[in-house]
């Protein structure tokens, strides 16, 4: 019942992709390789000794240097997440940093599974794909993914007709530019720029609240320009960094640079000490990857 691994490498002119939540724009770091994959997830050859089973795919090579595999936990990584099936993209033998945007899809016995309603990563939940951007490094992040699908229940490792699980999707790898402010996968904090306008704080908090965001809170950059950019894209897809609040659909689309609204800029220009800075809200990087949500 298993099919061989299917991979399709895109030529340079087709490397950029614009699926998902955000619109396309130029990037300061270029995509150097991208591959579509459809791989079987293999059950372990021997019993896991009571631990929850971990399934693995064969190695997926992207370009000349990057290599990944998909790992699946059909009944969750631990008892706390037994209600969910997890897919993770693992960086195989990482020797240096690899910047990747990836999409993961799950099928069970040939039927596609949908993600949970509020857990699509860089995409809206309730679809077939979970997506994210991440920098994989030996000491920072070796794998990344989520418990985004309903658990595959009633599975015993020694039963003869175990469900057939497959993972499909795509991985794009990006070059790192010489300079950048924000990279995908970073934890960032919105900071209100107060120079040049007395009511900047009030205006900034109002703008953030309209997108469901709070000043000083930490958010994860899930992707930039729908995965077509990795560094300093014009628009970001963000969600809370260390939790998955049920109060709204995530991620939200936000500009990388929030400019002052026209009425505030006019007021600043008319003041006795006009400012040349038109920024209203600035994103500041903070920290490395930590705990992911449910």
């Amino acid at each position: 019942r298993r099919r061989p691994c299917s991979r399709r490498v895109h030529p340079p002119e087709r490397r950029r992709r614009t699926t998902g939540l955000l619109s396309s724009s130029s990037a300061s770091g270029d995509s150097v390789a991208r591959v579509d994959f459809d791989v079987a997830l293999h059950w372990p050859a021997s019993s896991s000794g009571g631990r929850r089973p971990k399934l693995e795919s064969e190695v997926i090579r992207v370009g000349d240097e990057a290599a990944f595999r998909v790992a699946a936990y059909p009944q969750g990584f631990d008892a706390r997440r037994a209600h969910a099936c997890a897919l993770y993209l693992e960086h195989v033998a990482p020797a240096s940093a690899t910047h990747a945007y990836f999409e993961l899809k799950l099928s069970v016995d040939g039927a596609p599974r949908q993600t949970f309603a509020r857990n699509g990563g860089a995409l809206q939940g309730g679809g077939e794909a979970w997506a994210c951007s991440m920098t994989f490094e030996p000491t920072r992040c070796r794998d990344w993914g989520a418990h985004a699908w309903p658990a595959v229940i009633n599975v015993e490792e020694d039963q003869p007709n175990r469900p057939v699980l497959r993972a499909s999707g795509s991985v794009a790898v990006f070059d790192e530019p010489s300079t950048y402010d924000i990279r995908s996968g970073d934890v960032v904090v919105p900071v209100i720029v107060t120079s040049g306008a007395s009511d900047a704080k009030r205006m900034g908090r109002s703008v953030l609240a309209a997108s469901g965001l709070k000043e000083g809170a930490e958010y994860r950059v899930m992707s930039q320009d729908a995965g077509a950019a990795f560094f300093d894209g014009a628009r970001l897809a963000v969600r809370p960094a260390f939790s998955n609040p049920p109060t709204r659909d995530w991620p939200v689309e936000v500009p990388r640079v929030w400019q002052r609204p026209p009425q505030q800029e006019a007021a600043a220009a008319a003041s006795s000490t006009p400012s040349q800075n038109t920024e209203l809200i600035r994103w500041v990087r903070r920290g490395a990857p930590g705990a992911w949500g449910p």
Side-chain angles (χ1 to χ4, degrees):
R1 299 177 65 184
R2 285 178 178 161
R3 291 178 288 164
C5 169
S6 172
R7 295 195 300 270
R8 181 158 57 93
V9 179
H10 290 252
E13 65 272 13
R14 297 184 61 192
R15 286 169 184 161
R16 291 266 177 98
R17 224 161 84 119
T18 57
T19 59
L21 181 69
L22 309 181
S23 58
S24 172
S25 76
S26 61
S28 57
D30 291 328
S31 172
V32 295
R34 178 178 171 270
V35 63
D36 291 340
F37 62 85
D38 183 355
V39 292
L41 296 167
H42 303 294
W43 290 87
S46 59
S47 173
S48 58
R51 298 189 301 273
R52 295 179 182 277
K54 176 185 178 182
L55 285 65
E56 293 183 337
S57 74
E58 64 179 83
V59 173
I60 302 165
R61 299 198 176 277
V62 185
D64 297 329
E65 298 181 3
F68 301 89
R69 70 164 57 95
V70 180
Y73 299 88
Q75 297 176 323
F77 183 78
D78 52 31
R80 183 175 67 87
R81 291 170 284 191
H83 67 288
C85 173
L87 291 185
Y88 279 77
L89 188 70
E90 296 183 342
H91 195 198
V92 179
S96 59
T98 298
H99 312 287
Y101 171 82
F102 59 96
E103 295 185 1
L104 298 173
K105 301 178 183 179
L106 172 70
S107 69
V108 180
D109 288 334
R113 290 289 183 95
Q114 288 197 327
T115 62
F116 291 121
R118 291 187 171 90
N119 197 347
L123 308 173
Q124 295 293 346
E128 291 186 7
W130 187 91
C132 188
S133 294
M134 183 52 62
T135 296
F136 295 91
E137 293 179 290
T139 58
R140 180 177 183 266
C141 179
R142 288 179 175 267
D143 60 4
W144 201 252
H147 286 71
W149 295 265
V152 181
I153 60 175
N154 299 326
V155 174
E156 299 295 335
E157 288 188 79
D158 56 354
Q159 70 185 54
N161 296 315
R162 293 175 296 194
V164 175
L165 276 64
R166 295 188 70 87
S168 60
S170 62
V171 184
V173 174
F174 292 78
D175 269 339
E176 183 169 331
S178 57
T179 60
Y180 59 87
D181 295 327
I182 298 173
R183 67 181 173 185
S184 295
D186 281 341
V187 173
V188 295
V189 176
V191 175
I192 298 171
V193 180
T194 58
S195 61
S198 59
D199 62 344
K201 276 284 188 184
R202 177 188 60 79
M203 182 69 71
R205 287 170 179 165
S206 175
V207 169
L208 289 170
S211 295
L213 307 175
K214 295 181 179 179
E215 180 187 15
E218 295 184 338
Y219 298 92
R220 177 85 61 194
V221 180
M222 303 302 295
S223 72
Q224 304 190 39
D225 296 343
F230 196 97
F231 301 92
D232 295 347
R235 302 191 71 77
L236 314 177
V238 302
R239 64 190 302 132
F242 303 110
S243 63
N244 201 19
T247 54
R248 65 166 298 141
D249 290 335
W250 298 96
V252 296
E253 175 188 351
V254 295
R256 187 175 72 84
V257 178
W258 247 303
Q259 303 291 349
R260 290 204 301 257
Q263 64 271 26
Q264 191 188 61
E265 190 171 343
S271 68
S272 57
T273 56
S275 171
Q276 300 300 315
N277 186 5
T278 62
E279 280 186 290
L280 176 63
I281 300 166
R282 179 181 304 157
W283 291 101
V284 178
R285 297 172 60 195
R286 178 180 295 175
W292 178 244

